[in-house]
Amino acid sequence: MPPLKSRIDDLAIFGGTPNFREELHVGRPNVGQREAFLARVNDLLDRRWLTNDGPFLQEFEKRISERLGVKHCIAVCNATVGLEIAIKAAGLMGEVIVPSFTFIATAHALEWQQITPVFCDIDRATHNLDPLCVEQLITKRTTGIIGVHLWGRPCDVEALADIARRHKLKLLFDAAHAFACSHNGQMIGNFGNAELFSFHATKFLNTFEGGAVVTNNDELAAKVRLMRNFGFAGLDTVMSLGTNGKMSEVSAAMGLTSLESLDSFIETNRRNYHLYQQQLTKAPGISLSRYQEDEKCNYQYIVIEIDEAVAGISRDLLDDILWAENVLTRRYFYPGCHRMEPYCTADPQAHLRLPQTERLAKMVLCLPTGSAISSAEITAICALIEFVVKHAEAVKQRWSIKPLFRHPWRSARS
Ligand code: T4K
C-alpha cells in the first residue's frame, strides 16, 4: 500500500496513485478448507452421484436443521428460486407486502408468479419493515407479508407475526443475509411460516450458488420438497406443480466445507466489524450500522450511512472516490425496488409513501469485509474516509472543476 494521502491531489480520483493495487470487493467469497472440499469432489465423482437428493445434499440439510434447531431444511439451487417455491407453497397470491429496500430478487420472486409486491416503508434505525406502515397497506387482496432481515439484522418479528395473525396473512422471511443470526435467543429460520437463506458466492457461507427454505411446518415442508423437484413423488408420479430448484452435490459439498469453517468466518467478520467501529469514529457524518451483539450475528455486511449535511460530502462522491482507490464499495440497495422495472412503471408514485426508503437509499454504502481483506486494509480504508471527510469542501470544489476518474458504471447510474 502506498503512504496515506496527505494532499487532495494524492486522491486517485484526481490522478494520484490508487491506495490499493488490487481491487477490494464487497462480497469476496470465503473459501473454507480447500483439501476437504476437493476430497468431497473426488467422492462425488467416484460415486457418480452429481445431483438429485444426493448424500452430500442430505447431510448438508441435516447439519443446517441441527444448527438452527429447525425441523425442516430444503436446500435449493439459489435463494431466488427458493423464495419463488416458498411463495407458491404457502399459497400467496394477489398482493404481498414487502420492503422496497432489498435486493430485487425479493420483489421479482412475487412478480414472476403474477403476485403484486406492495412496497412498504422501513424503520429508519433498523432498515427493516416498519410494522405500522405494513398495517396501513393491507387490502382485501393482501395474502401475505415477506419481511427481509436486512444485513442479517432481524425484523420486528413479533409485530409482524401479530399483524399476520390478526389479518390471517401468511408470513415469510427473506433471510438471505441472516444465516447463523438469532432473535431473542432463537435462531433465524424458526420464524413465520418459512424462512429463506441464500448461500450465493457473495454470502459469508456459500455453496457457489444455493439457498435453503427452512420451516417448522410439516405440511409446508412437504410441499416445498415436492415443488423443488418438479412435483415428483416417486419415479413417475407427479403430485403438484413444481420446478427445478435442486441443489447439486458439488454445491452441497461446498456447503458442508463452508459449514466446517463457519465459526472462523464469523470471527473474522466480527473482528473486521470492530475494527471499522473503532476507526470510523473520527469522520463526522459517517455512522456504522450496529449489530445487536447480545444476539448471534454473522456481521457479514459493513454498512455505513453518510449524512451529507454533516460529512460535507455525498454518498455518491465518496463512492466514486473509493472506487478510484480500488475499494469497490456497493450502494446496496439503491435506488430501491420501487424505482426499478417493472415496478416503477406499474406504480410511479410509490416513492411518495416510502420516505425512509428514499432517504436511506441515498445514504447507505457497503464496505468490504470477509476473509479476503486484512486489518491493515481496513485501517487504510477508514483513514481514506476520514481524510475525504476532513477535506470535504476542497474535494467537492476540485471535483466540480476537473474530475479525472469516471466511475465505470457511471453511465448506468443516475
Ligand atoms: N434476497 C436478498 C435480500 C438478497 O440480498 C439476495 C441476494 C437474494 C434474496 C437472492 O439470493 P440468490 O438468488 O442470489 O441466492 C450480489 C449477489 O449476487 C446476490 O446473491 C446478493 N443478494 C446481492 C446482495 O449481492 P450483485 O449483483 O451485487 O453481485 P456482483 O456480481 O456484483 O458481486 C458482488 C461483488 O462480489 C463484486 O464486487 C464481485 C465480488 N464477487 C462476486 C462473485 C460472484 C467475487 O469476488 N467473486 C464471486 O464469485 O449481487
Side-chain angles (χ1 to χ4, degrees):
M1 270 180 282
L4 295 178
K5 316 283 172 182
S6 53
R7 303 165 312 137
I8 64 165
D9 282 350
D10 294 338
L11 290 170
I13 201 167
F14 301 132
T17 308
N19 230 143
F20 304 95
R21 253 205 324 262
E22 308 262 321
E23 294 178 336
L24 301 179
H25 294 264
V26 172
R28 201 72 168 157
N30 288 328
V31 178
Q33 295 299 320
R34 192 177 294 236
E35 291 310 318
F37 170 67
L38 293 175
R40 287 188 169 107
V41 173
N42 274 328
D43 278 0
L44 72 91
L45 293 178
D46 289 345
R47 261 199 302 271
R48 290 177 190 261
W49 197 278
L50 307 187
T51 185
N52 290 19
D53 214 17
F56 284 150
L57 185 280
Q58 291 179 28
E59 190 184 343
F60 184 56
E61 291 181 339
K62 186 164 166 278
R63 292 269 172 89
I64 290 177
S65 293
E66 284 167 1
R67 181 144 194 136
L68 305 182
V70 68
K71 231 167 145 186
H72 304 281
C73 168
I74 302 108
V76 287
C77 55
N78 61 61
T80 308
V81 168
L83 202 48
E84 286 167 12
I85 293 174
I87 287 165
K88 191 89 177 165
L92 298 187
M93 55 182 84
E95 293 176 357
V96 171
I97 298 170
V98 286
S100 171
F101 197 55
T102 178
F103 192 57
I104 197 70
T106 319
H108 279 355
L110 290 162
E111 186 74 22
W112 194 253
Q113 28 201 343
Q114 288 79 49
I115 301 167
T116 306
V118 176
F119 296 119
C120 179
D121 213 5
I122 48 177
D123 179 90
R124 187 185 183 125
T126 66
H127 303 186
N128 285 328
L129 273 182
D130 180 339
L132 289 176
C133 301
V134 170
E135 194 129 23
Q136 286 162 10
L137 292 173
I138 295 172
T139 69
K140 284 198 178 108
R141 297 193 66 225
T142 310
T143 59
I145 303 166
I146 303 182
V148 179
H149 304 302
L150 208 73
W151 322 126
R153 299 191 305 182
C155 292
D156 189 343
V157 168
E158 287 71 26
L160 294 177
D162 180 55
I163 295 171
R165 186 185 46 73
R166 281 190 284 106
H167 294 272
K168 298 190 173 38
L169 304 176
K170 292 283 170 24
L171 177 62
L172 301 179
F173 288 104
D174 176 340
H177 301 175
F179 184 69
C181 300
S182 70
H183 171 66
N184 286 344
Q186 194 170 18
M187 297 307 288
I188 298 286
N190 287 279
F191 300 106
N193 297 92
E195 304 204 60
L196 187 281
F197 296 115
S198 170
F199 302 130
H200 180 259
T202 54
K203 298 295 181 289
F204 84 106
L205 181 125
N206 86 84
T207 58
F208 301 139
E209 289 274 0
V213 180
V214 293
T215 177
N216 286 311
N217 180 316
D218 299 343
E219 200 186 325
L220 189 61
K223 274 191 190 167
V224 169
R225 217 168 259 290
L226 275 178
M227 285 180 174
R228 176 183 67 173
N229 187 27
F230 313 99
F232 270 113
L235 287 187
D236 42 22
T237 311
V238 170
M239 305 291 289
S240 73
L241 180 64
T243 184
N244 185 351
K246 289 168 284 146
M247 176 182 274
S248 72
E249 281 291 274
V250 76
S251 283
M254 184 64 169
L256 286 167
T257 311
S258 299
L259 274 178
E260 283 160 3
S261 294
L262 182 79
D263 294 335
S264 93
F265 294 156
I266 293 175
E267 180 49 28
T268 302
N269 285 348
R270 194 183 68 84
R271 230 181 21 240
N272 291 348
Y273 166 75
H274 286 145
L275 200 54
Y276 273 114
Q277 193 179 330
Q278 275 164 24
Q279 308 214 349
L280 277 176
T281 49
K282 286 181 241 139
I286 309 286
S287 56
L288 178 70
S289 293
R290 298 297 172 97
Y291 290 100
Q292 198 186 327
E293 297 197 67
D294 54 352
E295 294 285 351
K296 289 198 162 64
C297 310
N298 61 33
Y299 303 91
Q300 74 175 310
Y301 288 99
I302 299 293
V303 182
I304 58 170
E305 285 177 35
I306 296 105
D307 182 346
E308 186 176 354
V310 180
I313 194 151
S314 69
R315 185 274 310 271
D316 287 353
L317 182 48
L318 181 61
D319 186 35
D320 284 357
I321 290 170
L322 291 170
W323 270 69
E325 304 290 346
N326 277 333
V327 185
L328 309 191
T329 43
R330 295 303 295 264
R331 304 188 300 177
Y332 293 137
F333 288 100
Y334 175 84
C337 298
H338 67 289
R339 287 197 177 270
M340 299 200 206
E341 293 295 357
Y343 313 107
C344 55
T345 297
D347 186 2
Q349 301 304 315
H351 62 279
L352 296 175
R353 62 166 196 274
L354 301 168
Q356 296 305 335
T357 304
E358 289 272 306
R359 183 181 155 276
L360 274 171
K362 294 188 188 102
M363 293 177 76
V364 163
L365 197 61
C366 291
L367 304 179
T369 185
S371 54
I373 186 165
S374 69
S375 299
E377 286 165 333
I378 291 175
T379 301
I381 292 172
C382 294
L384 200 50
I385 294 174
E386 194 191 326
F387 177 83
V388 171
V389 171
K390 192 166 166 198
H391 300 282
E393 272 316 308
V395 168
K396 261 191 323 202
Q397 222 169 38
R398 172 83 201 268
W399 173 249
S400 63
I401 301 165
K402 200 176 173 202
L404 289 179
F405 171 85
R406 279 282 168 209
H407 195 294
W409 294 359
R410 174 59 75 189
S411 58
R413 297 167 57 158
S414 53

